[in-house]
Amino acid sequence: MAKQEDLFKNVVSHAKEYGFIFPSSEIYDGLSAVYDYAQNGVELKKNIREYWWKSMVQMHENIVGLDAAILMHPTTWKASGHVDAFNDPLIDNKDSKKRYRADVLIEDYAEKLNIKAQKEIEKARARFGDAFNEQEFITTNPRVVEYLSKKNEILARMAKSLDAGDLDDVKLLIEELEIACPDSGSRNWTEVRQFNLMFGTKLGASADTAMDLYLRPETAQGIFVNFLNVQKTGRMKIPFGIAQTGKAFRNEIVARQFIFRMREFEQMEMQFFVKPGEEMKWYEYWKTTRLNWHKSLGLGAENYRFHDHEKLAHYANAAADIEFNFPFGFKELEGIHSRTDFDLKAHEQFSGKKLQYFDTEENKNYVPYVVETSVGLDRMFLAVFSKALQEETLEDGSTRTVLRLPSVLAPTKAAVLPLVKKDGLPEIAKEIMEELKWDFNVAYDEKDAVGRRYRRQDALGTPFCITVDHQTVEDKTVTIRHRDTMLQERVAITDLKNIIDKEVSVRNWLMKM
Ligand code: ATP
C-alpha cells in the first residue's frame, strides 16, 4: 500500500514539475479539486480528446458531433431528474470532522471482501495448477462462498435502501459492519444526509428578475435537447449517435484524489439513439467497442475490467463501468449506460414538444432508446499518465524516469538537439525543426549535455530525440533515439517525417482496435 501511495505522490509531483498540471489559482493556495492544465498537459489532454473524437465521429458515418452550451434552461434539470435525484449520501465523522460518501464507505468495505476472495482463488490456482476449476472452486470453497455472498448481500442491501431513500438503514449498515473513519479509526458518525451536487448560478443583472441556473453536471442533456435538431438537419437514420466533449461541474462531497474527482472536469460523451427493443444489443456492442478503444493504447489489458452496476441510476435499465487500475486501485474510468427513453420522454413532457423519430421502414413514430458511453477526459489523462510514469534501473545501475506515453498521445513528438552549440549545428537543427513543425509538435533544446537533454525528454514522454552532430554537416544524416528502448539509429534527414509519422499516426493506433 505504501508503495502505491508513493507512486501516486510521484504522479502528482511529476505532473507539476514537468508542466502538465498545476493546482488552480495556486498563488492563493489553490481551490480544492480544481486544476489547470499546463503547457504539456494541455497537449496531452488535447491529444486524448482528439483520439476519442476521431474514433467516434470521423470513423463512424452515423455519429456526428455537437458543442452545446454549458448554461441551459433550468427546466432541463427538472426534466432530467437532476434537481430531485442528483444527490450523494454524505456522512461526517464527528471526531475527525472528515466528510465521506456513505455509499463509498460501504463499497470499499465490500471490495475488501472481494479482494479476500480473489486471494483465496489465486492461492488455489497456484496449488492446483492446470487442474484448477475456478468456477467450481468459487461455488464450493466455504471461505470464498462466504466472502462473496457477504459482499453481494451488503451491496444489495445498500442499493435497496438508497433506492427507497432509507438513509437510516444506510447508517445502520455502516454501524453493523463497524466501518471506521479511514482517517482516524473513529466510529462516531453523524446521520446520513442527501446532498445535491449541482452548482447553482444566476442569469440576469437585477436581483428580482434574475433566473436561477445550474452549471451542467453532465454534457448529455445538451445532446438530448438537440436530438431532433440534429436528426432533421443531418437527415440521420436510426441507429445514429451524437458525440460531444466539454466541461461539466459537480460539487463533489469528497474530492481528494487529484484529477480523479474534480469539481470542474471534462467529459467525452456519445449518445446512441436506437430502435426500442434493440438497446441491449447496442449496449453490448458499445461495451466491447469502448473496451477495445482503451486497450488500443497499449497500457496493458490486465489494467481494465468491467463492473456491472447493482444500483442503477434513475434513468438506466443496464449499466456498466470500465474500471482502470489507478495507483489507488481499480476505479471507474468510463460508464456505459442503457438510458432507455427516459430523457427524451421527460423532455417531451416538460417542454410540450415532440421528440420523436419517424421510422420510414416501420412507418411509425417513436421515442428512441439511448445507449450512452461517457468517459472523463481528466480520468483518462490520469490513467494514461500514471501508467506511463516509470522509474527504470539501467544496465549500469543508474536510474531514469521515463514517461512511456502512447506516442500518439505524447505532447511533443520529437525534440531536435544540436550536439554542441557551434559549428553550424544549431542552424541545421532549427532547419529540421522548421520543416517538421508543419506536421508534428516538435521542440528544440540546446541547453546542457546531450545525455541530460535525453533524460528531460524521457521525463516529458517525447517518443523521439533527433540529434544533429558533425557528421550531419557532411552527409545530411542525424541520429534518432527511441524513448522506450533508448536505441539510436542513423537516418537521413529526409526520412524523419515518415519515421515519426509511422509511430505517432492516429491511423496506426486506432487500427489496433
Ligand atoms: P463516480 O461514481 O466516480 O462519481 P459517476 O458514475 O457519477 O462517477 P458518470 O455520471 O457516469 O460518473 O460520469 C461519466 C464519467 O465522467 C465517469 O466515468 C468519469 O470518468 C467522469 N467523471 C464523473 N465525475 C467526475 C469528477 N468529479 N471528476 C472527474 N471525472 C468525473
Side-chain angles (χ1 to χ4, degrees):
M1 194 64 199
K3 215 165 155 245
Q4 282 201 333
E5 276 165 23
D6 288 349
L7 176 67
F8 191 40
K9 274 193 197 141
N10 267 349
V11 165
V12 178
S13 63
H14 194 91
K16 177 151 188 226
E17 188 182 342
Y18 285 90
F20 283 88
I21 297 173
F22 302 142
S24 155
S25 25
E26 197 184 7
I27 58 168
Y28 296 105
D29 298 331
L31 185 64
S32 163
V34 186
Y35 290 90
D36 296 340
Y37 286 86
Q39 67 277 15
N40 294 310
V42 71
E43 297 290 340
L44 174 53
K45 192 176 171 198
K46 181 190 71 167
N47 292 343
I48 297 173
R49 193 191 293 112
E50 203 169 285
Y51 193 65
W52 182 88
W53 189 267
K54 287 202 166 155
S55 81
M56 274 297 177
V57 180
Q58 193 168 319
M59 300 307 292
H60 287 98
E61 53 188 290
N62 60 345
I63 300 181
V64 293
L66 180 76
D67 183 14
I70 288 173
L71 299 177
M72 299 182 70
H73 192 284
T75 309
T76 309
W77 307 110
K78 257 323 254 180
S80 68
H82 283 79
V83 171
D84 297 320
F86 196 51
N87 302 318
D88 276 342
L90 70 81
I91 189 165
D92 293 293
N93 188 277
K94 290 185 196 161
D95 295 325
S96 67
K97 309 277 180 250
K98 291 260 181 202
R99 177 161 285 184
Y100 297 94
R101 267 173 62 177
D103 55 335
V104 172
L105 287 177
I106 296 169
E107 278 166 8
D108 285 350
Y109 183 95
E111 179 59 17
K112 279 188 198 140
L113 292 170
N114 186 36
I115 289 171
K116 280 187 187 164
Q118 297 310 322
K119 276 198 182 135
E120 294 290 333
I121 295 168
E122 285 320 309
K123 265 199 289 184
R125 191 193 311 283
R127 194 162 2 115
F128 295 118
D130 286 346
F132 183 55
N133 180 337
E134 181 170 333
Q135 219 35 48
E136 190 186 315
F137 187 77
I138 289 175
T139 46
T140 53
N141 178 278
R143 243 178 286 170
V144 173
V145 169
E146 190 194 324
Y147 289 142
L148 292 181
S149 60
K150 185 144 185 236
K151 178 197 108 177
N152 293 336
E153 208 178 288
I154 290 168
L155 291 177
R157 176 163 156 202
M158 179 181 83
K160 192 164 160 241
S161 305
L162 285 174
D163 272 348
D166 185 356
L167 299 181
D168 290 343
D169 191 57
V170 177
K171 163 90 186 280
L172 200 62
L173 186 57
I174 288 177
E175 283 173 346
E176 282 173 22
L177 298 174
E178 300 187 343
I179 295 177
C181 164
D183 198 58
S184 64
S186 152
R187 292 195 205 120
N188 192 6
W189 295 109
T190 62
E191 298 307 306
V192 178
R193 281 168 295 148
Q194 289 289 18
F195 176 77
N196 192 290
L197 300 186
M198 284 198 292
F199 280 103
T201 185
K202 291 205 181 284
L203 181 137
S206 75
D208 36 327
T209 58
M211 190 181 195
D212 285 317
L213 296 188
Y214 298 102
L215 300 183
R216 66 180 177 196
E218 63 175 24
T219 57
Q221 298 304 324
I223 295 180
F224 294 130
V225 299
N226 278 298
F227 154 73
L228 212 52
N229 281 341
V230 173
Q231 190 272 320
K232 289 228 154 92
T233 57
R235 296 184 295 171
M236 308 301 291
K237 272 201 151 50
I238 271 180
F240 74 91
I242 304 179
Q244 169 165 240
T245 71
K247 285 278 171 96
F249 302 81
R250 295 183 187 177
N251 198 359
E252 296 280 0
I253 297 171
V254 183
R256 296 186 194 120
Q257 282 164 321
F258 192 40
I259 56 168
F260 180 80
R261 191 173 297 288
M262 303 159 90
R263 296 207 162 94
E264 172 179 343
F265 59 100
E266 196 164 333
Q267 291 185 311
M268 306 191 286
E269 298 199 304
M270 194 278 298
Q271 311 294 329
F272 201 66
F273 299 90
V274 305
K275 201 186 272 190
E278 293 193 348
E279 70 275 13
M280 290 320 283
K281 177 180 96 184
W282 287 110
Y283 170 70
E284 292 304 330
Y285 169 86
W286 282 110
K287 268 177 78 174
T288 312
T289 306
R290 292 303 303 146
L291 184 64
N292 288 343
W293 180 85
H294 286 284
K295 285 188 188 161
S296 73
L297 289 170
L299 301 173
E302 70 284 4
N303 290 312
Y304 302 89
R305 70 179 190 197
F306 280 119
H307 168 243
D308 294 312
H309 282 212
E310 303 266 341
K311 176 182 181 296
L312 293 173
H314 57 274
Y315 50 74
N317 70 354
D321 298 334
I322 295 176
E323 294 187 336
F324 183 75
N325 190 9
F326 286 99
F328 35 83
F330 274 95
K331 296 271 179 217
E332 172 175 346
L333 172 61
E334 169 155 3
I336 293 130
H337 309 126
S338 173
R339 291 182 81 126
T340 67
D341 55 1
F342 175 88
D343 302 88
L344 292 180
K345 272 215 167 123
H347 287 304
E348 275 198 327
Q349 205 183 348
F350 277 78
S351 68
K353 312 261 163 49
K354 282 224 170 311
L355 290 175
Q356 300 194 359
Y357 172 78
F358 181 71
D359 192 320
T360 46
E361 276 163 30
E362 302 217 351
N363 204 22
K364 67 172 192 199
N365 279 308
Y366 56 77
V367 177
Y369 270 44
V370 173
V371 176
E372 158 184 87
T373 73
S374 174
V375 55
L377 176 48
D378 314 86
R379 273 194 202 174
M380 258 314 281
F381 188 113
L382 184 59
V384 169
F385 193 87
S386 59
K387 261 311 154 236
L389 185 60
Q390 293 173 10
E391 285 287 330
E392 258 180 24
T393 306
L394 304 178
E395 275 173 16
D396 64 1
S398 64
T399 57
R400 76 160 177 156
T401 302
V402 55
L403 194 60
R404 290 175 181 270
L405 294 174
S407 55
V408 64
L409 303 181
T412 305
K413 304 304 185 199
V416 191
L417 320 170
L419 187 63
V420 289
K421 255 193 277 184
K422 54 182 186 184
D423 306 332
L425 305 190
E427 287 74 12
I428 301 177
K430 283 197 177 136
E431 265 174 41
I432 293 175
M433 196 181 95
E434 287 301 314
E435 182 51 34
L436 291 178
K437 80 180 184 192
W438 289 94
D439 296 294
F440 313 106
N441 220 359
V442 282
Y444 173 83
D445 188 8
E446 58 176 27
K447 201 165 163 266
D448 298 325
V450 77
R452 289 188 65 170
R453 282 181 269 164
Y454 286 155
R455 288 290 186 276
R456 185 167 166 75
Q457 294 302 330
D458 287 345
L460 290 168
T462 309
F464 295 109
C465 283
I466 296 160
T467 306
V468 174
D469 56 19
H470 291 96
Q471 194 182 326
T472 312
V473 184
E474 310 284 316
D475 64 4
K476 295 196 170 22
T477 63
V478 289
T479 62
I480 186 161
R481 173 185 177 273
H482 299 255
R483 175 196 68 199
D484 295 346
T485 57
M486 295 190 293
L487 291 178
Q488 303 191 22
E489 350 164 36
R490 189 121 213 137
V491 303
I493 292 174
T494 47
D495 288 340
L496 285 171
K497 183 181 164 200
N498 279 344
I499 295 171
I500 301 171
D501 192 53
K502 198 164 150 228
E503 179 62 36
V504 309
S505 87
V506 171
R507 178 198 183 98
N508 287 346
W509 284 81
L510 278 183
M511 294 267 266
K512 294 179 201 159
M513 260 181 86

